[in-house]
Amino acid sequence: MTSPHRTLGRSQVRVSPLGFGAAPLGNLYSPLDEETARAAVDTAWDAGVRYFDTAPHYGLGLSERRLGAALRARPRAEFTVSTKVGRLLEPHPSPTGSDLAAGGFAVPGTLRRRPDYSRDGVLRSLEASLERLGLDRIDLALVHDPDEHMDTALAEALPALTELRAQGVVGAIGIGMNSVEPLRRFVAEGDPDVVMVAGRWTLLDRTAAPLLAECAAREVSVIAAAPFNSGLLSTDHPGAGGRYDYGTVPAAVLDRARSLATRCAEHGVPLPRAALCFPVREPVVACVLAGFRTPAEVSSAATHLTHGVPEHLWAELNATD
């Protein structure tokens, strides 16, 4: 990747144009062996990726442990790690044997997630994350999916992170969600450095446009996560059997995805390349963040972002919107 790293908001935290989403390292949907998980992170590093995102939610801590182990020998000043607060991990009183049904991760269900967006919950969550990651600091701390806890998150979680930022405990703070309107409220009422919006600023779904405009006006950076909309845009041939926003693909959405694929093919551009390059065309978007399971997926994404998309194709792709 040749694009320069970008600074998040008014902070000093910098991210690479391509970010490594570590949810798959937590055995998202299916098991992932240790060797492949480690190789994916190593391949990302070799490709120039220096921003890595994780959360306690991902595999009940497995993602944080694997990511921390993979980065431990790397120069600490050369990479940025984000993790999230809002869900404390506790022993499960009635273990089910697997977290697949409850959380979507193929790990033993010995722990459970308890929502906690209080100040104390934030402090406890970050302390536990540091231990699992084995790192000396968190560069970016994000309030994670507070949809059902907006008032508490605004009154306690975000102010707690603001205090930690002022103390230098974390470098930057923000919110990560799939929903646009709550993020707009955080931008209007809080003081975040960044918002992470998943699946809402993509080639297929551009509903985050008002959010991006408000972020630009307030010097808040955007991390555009889930550029493939849960996988639908990750192939040149979108199919009905794929995933869209963690579920089945509606017929109208599938038609639009296939139309986008056709336009790309006419110009010799892979659909996944256009999907990865689209978000970072906006100056306020500091990074596109995709989840990776294998070294091949990382290499492919880095290549796509490096090659880019011809400018004249964007007008045609916009016409399908």
Side-chain angles (χ1 to χ4, degrees), residues 24-305:
L25 299 192
N27 290 358
L28 180 64
Y29 303 131
S30 61
L32 180 68
D33 64 88
E34 296 287 343
E35 183 178 353
T36 302
R38 180 61 174 265
V41 177
D42 290 344
T43 300
W45 186 275
D46 292 341
V49 174
R50 293 295 183 270
Y51 170 47
F52 302 85
D53 173 71
T54 184
H57 169 59
Y58 304 153
L60 297 172
L62 177 61
S63 172
E64 289 183 318
R65 291 193 297 272
R66 281 178 164 173
L67 180 62
L71 293 173
R72 202 153 296 152
R74 306 291 185 181
R76 183 64 185 91
E78 294 185 17
F79 63 85
T80 294
V81 168
S82 62
T83 193
K84 305 181 182 77
V85 301
R87 300 175 187 178
L88 291 176
L89 301 182
E90 301 177 331
H92 201 302
S94 304
T96 60
S98 173
D99 182 58
L100 267 176
F105 294 88
V107 296
T110 54
L111 299 174
R112 68 176 180 181
R113 305 163 183 85
R114 179 172 64 81
D116 190 335
Y117 294 86
S118 69
R119 184 180 187 279
D120 179 64
V122 165
L123 299 178
R124 291 174 57 193
S125 181
L126 287 176
E127 182 180 6
S129 288
L130 281 170
E131 182 176 349
R132 286 188 292 267
L133 284 161
L135 298 177
D136 60 347
R137 68 181 184 277
I138 302 298
D139 301 293
L140 169 60
L142 298 162
V143 182
H144 197 187
D145 289 340
D147 301 72
E148 306 301 321
H149 308 271
M150 286 291 294
D151 290 341
T152 304
L154 277 162
E156 297 195 42
L158 197 58
L161 292 181
T162 301
E163 289 179 26
L164 295 176
R165 180 180 60 186
Q167 296 165 8
V169 176
V170 299
I173 64 172
I175 311 94
M177 302 181 72
N178 298 284
S179 306
V180 172
E181 291 307 312
L183 286 173
R184 295 178 69 184
R185 182 179 172 192
F186 272 105
V187 170
E189 299 181 25
D191 184 30
D193 299 296
V194 61
V195 297
M196 178 183 290
V197 57
R200 298 296 170 262
W201 186 244
T202 73
L203 197 59
L204 192 57
D205 185 335
R206 308 182 191 185
T207 52
L211 172 67
L212 265 62
E214 291 161 5
C215 285
R218 294 173 178 265
E219 297 184 77
V220 176
S221 294
V222 174
I223 294 173
F228 301 128
N229 286 115
S230 297
L232 184 61
L233 301 181
S234 65
T235 172
D236 288 325
H237 306 286
R243 291 180 181 271
Y244 176 75
D245 282 354
Y246 314 106
T248 56
V249 186
V253 172
L254 181 59
D255 288 344
R256 288 184 57 220
R258 286 173 169 169
S259 178
L260 290 167
T262 298
R263 295 291 180 93
C264 287
E266 289 171 350
H267 291 267
V269 173
L271 179 61
R273 180 173 300 172
L276 274 169
C277 291
F278 169 79
V280 292
R281 297 181 74 236
E282 288 291 330
V284 72
V285 176
C287 169
V288 59
L289 178 73
F292 297 114
R293 290 182 65 88
T294 67
E297 290 176 354
V298 177
S299 296
S300 177
T303 299
H304 286 323
L305 210 57

Side-chain angles (χ1 to χ4, degrees), residues 297-316:
E297 290 176 354
V298 177
S299 296
S300 177
T303 299
H304 286 323
L305 210 57
T306 297
H307 283 289
V309 173
E311 191 62 32
H312 61 267
L313 176 56
W314 291 121
E316 293 192 28

